[in-house]
Amino acid sequence: MVGYLTWAEPQKGKKSVRLEEQRILRMRFLQAEIVKSPHGAILSRRVLAAGKKLRKRGVTQVVLPEDFPCWEQLEKLGLRAVSTLALRRAIAADWVREGLAAKSQPVAGARVAVSAASLTGEAVRTVTELCLRHRYVLLDLPYGGEELCRQLRREYGVSLLLGPSKDQLEGAEALVLFDSRTDLAMKNPVTLRLYDETQPLPVLTLPPELEEGLPQGANRGQLLAVLREAGAVKREQIALRGKA
């Protein structure tokens, strides 16, 4: 079961830490409710106590509140925040489009460069989606990619520039990185570091009937990532809004 941390306001007689099973869009979570405190030391102790209770129940990953200040205490207990990497890669093509629009860049005619250490399924899906939306897509790989080029041309009639130069990568309106590239300036109008969970996600929304079932205050990216992984939310139900 996945853990879910929430804050509670101080109230006389209320336990400082309370565990309760909750369902969010039919998915079961073990919620740890922690009473807030203005004193950092007290708050840290409560977070530590909540983490121990979660670990005792077999929880290893958690959805955190937004701007959670006490992550180190949970890490020491073997808890980890729900990863958003798969979600970031799933929405990459939409993220590029939203980012270009937010920067007043051309969308259909934009040059979009993709760099990856290997041609994973996620990379193939992203490149395919980008080729169907943008006129110029550049793919940088250490090896391979020829078969994907042939497949895209055969199935969709679109072309893909394989093996772009460093200047071409840096000159693209959008740069999508599946893996770190220390040799690039990354000053493109839109740069997505899909390996970096610290890069802020765009605003992610669900249809109104699903939004009603989401709790307030949770880290939106982590919550949608785990709901999508569990099948409670489909990729096509996640919409992007706002600046990249």
Side-chain angles (χ1 to χ4, degrees):
M1 191 182 303
V2 176
Y4 166 48
L5 271 63
T6 61
W7 298 122
E9 295 299 328
Q11 185 178 344
K12 187 176 181 180
K14 193 179 186 71
K15 289 184 178 181
S16 59
V17 176
R18 186 169 65 93
L19 255 60
E20 181 182 12
E21 285 195 19
Q22 295 281 2
R23 285 187 179 271
I24 301 175
L25 300 185
R26 302 182 305 280
M27 180 178 173
R28 291 171 60 237
F29 289 82
L30 186 58
Q31 176 182 335
E33 185 183 72
I34 305 170
V35 174
K36 291 180 179 179
S37 172
H39 304 289
I42 294 175
L43 188 63
S44 293
R45 286 198 297 270
R46 290 176 180 174
V47 169
L48 191 62
K52 288 179 178 178
K53 289 178 181 290
L54 289 171
R55 288 294 288 125
K56 191 173 182 181
R57 294 281 295 273
V59 172
T60 58
Q61 59 176 338
V62 292
V63 174
L64 301 173
E66 289 286 1
D67 303 318
F68 186 70
C70 307
W71 178 236
E72 290 183 358
Q73 283 86 342
L74 299 182
E75 279 188 315
K76 292 176 182 177
L77 297 172
L79 287 167
R80 58 184 176 85
V82 168
S83 174
T84 62
L85 291 179
L87 175 63
R88 291 168 183 272
R89 292 163 184 166
I91 66 171
D94 287 349
W95 197 352
V96 165
R97 181 179 57 198
E98 291 295 321
L100 289 169
K103 297 292 179 64
S104 300
Q105 294 288 327
V107 176
R111 293 165 296 171
V112 181
V114 180
S115 175
S118 61
L119 198 56
T120 63
E122 292 171 324
V124 169
R125 183 183 62 246
T126 298
V127 170
T128 301
E129 291 180 1
L130 290 172
C131 282
L132 295 176
R133 300 179 183 189
H134 305 279
R135 187 174 303 166
Y136 307 105
V137 177
L138 301 73
L139 178 59
D140 179 68
L141 287 169
Y143 56 87
E146 293 82 2
E147 177 56 34
L148 178 60
C149 291
R150 288 192 290 268
Q151 179 183 338
L152 291 173
R153 188 177 298 110
R154 181 173 63 251
E155 294 185 8
Y156 304 108
V158 297
S159 59
L160 174 67
L161 174 61
L162 192 62
S165 67
K166 179 182 176 182
D167 287 344
Q168 287 175 313
L169 291 174
E170 294 184 332
E173 282 76 32
L175 176 63
V176 180
L177 300 173
F178 278 83
D179 303 278
S180 178
R181 287 288 300 267
T182 58
D183 60 318
L184 298 178
M186 291 193 288
K187 294 182 179 180
N188 309 67
V190 175
T191 301
L192 304 187
R193 303 184 304 275
L194 301 181
Y195 57 88
D196 181 5
E197 296 196 73
T198 66
Q199 182 173 16
L201 283 161
V203 177
L204 303 175
T205 63
L206 297 178
E209 64 274 14
L210 296 181
E211 280 287 343
E212 293 176 359
L214 297 183
Q216 298 296 315
N219 183 295
R220 176 58 68 105
Q222 293 173 8
L223 182 57
L224 292 186
V226 74
L227 289 171
R228 173 181 171 270
E229 182 181 347
V233 168
K234 297 178 181 178
R235 163 63 192 94
E236 56 269 23
Q237 293 175 313
I238 302 174
L240 280 65
R241 177 173 55 84
K243 295 182 178 180

